[in-house]
Amino acid sequence: MAEPRDVLVDGFGRVREVVHAALRRQTPDDLAWRPAPGANTIGWLVWHLTRVQDDHVADAFDLPQVWTAHGWAERLDLPRPPGDTGYGDTAEQVGALRASADALAGYHDAVHARTVELLAGVDAADLDRIVDTSWDPPVTLGVRLVSVLSDDLQHAGQAAYVRGLARARG
């Protein structure tokens, strides 16, 4: 029987696969293309899903984020405060995000590796640990991880869809 951590690791691995497929052979211009005015770009979607995973997993394990602690904020050099995850971004903020596919993949891989490393020490009982008391009911580690995984899968799918639209336009 699979352990819960193994299922979670598999899920986050699937996110990583979709992220890499969405970024493959994309230029910064490709990553910044919008299918409609105000729509999200591939680059922003990948950055945002990675930032949310980094932020939420780090918080759940009471650790610093990879974004700041491992220098990714400086490497990507985006015009944003260090704690920003892109939640609630305006169309202008989405459009201002410019990064290379290699940089976005590198940051995603670093966050993925950290997530997998942390999940290796999680057992079924750990999933009931309360990680956020600002909600009613309080959020457990299991609920937080599934929430992040769900959000990541949605955004990764959106990035893949935008890539498909971009390819169809020629």
Side-chain angles (χ1 to χ4, degrees), residues 7 32 56 62 89-90 96 102-103 123 126 129 134 136 138 159 161 165 168:
V7 175
H56 288 29
D62 197 28
D89 270 5
T90 65
D102 287 344
D123 61 28
D126 293 325
R129 178 174 58 85
S134 66
D136 186 19
Y161 180 72
L165 292 174

Side-chain angles (χ1 to χ4, degrees), residues 19 22-23 27-35 38-52 67 76 78-80 84-101 104 107-108 151-152 154-156 158-159 162:
V19 163
L23 294 174
T27 68
D29 287 341
D30 295 333
L31 296 174
W33 179 78
R34 291 177 157 174
N40 292 331
T41 66
I42 297 167
W44 184 89
L45 287 161
V46 169
W47 173 81
H48 171 66
L49 76 86
T50 306
R51 285 294 298 123
V52 168
W67 181 246
L76 269 73
L78 303 176
R80 296 177 170 271
D84 190 358
T85 64
Y87 181 76
D89 270 5
T90 65
E92 291 75 26
Q93 289 170 307
V94 170
L97 193 143
R98 299 285 291 192
S100 73
L104 291 168
Y107 175 47
H108 186 80
D151 188 66
D152 278 3
Q154 290 179 61
H155 288 322
Q158 291 165 358
V162 173

Side-chain angles (χ1 to χ4, degrees), residues 86-141:
Y87 181 76
D89 270 5
T90 65
E92 291 75 26
Q93 289 170 307
V94 170
L97 193 143
R98 299 285 291 192
S100 73
D102 287 344
L104 291 168
Y107 175 47
H108 186 80
D109 287 347
V111 170
H112 176 76
R114 175 176 295 124
T115 300
V116 169
E117 176 187 329
L118 293 170
L119 289 174
V122 170
D123 61 28
D126 293 325
L127 298 177
D128 292 330
R129 178 174 58 85
I130 302 295
V131 297
D132 188 346
T133 59
S134 66
W135 296 88
D136 186 19
V139 178
T140 64
L141 177 62

Side-chain angles (χ1 to χ4, degrees), residues 5 20 23 106:
R5 71 176 155 257
H20 276 266
L23 294 174

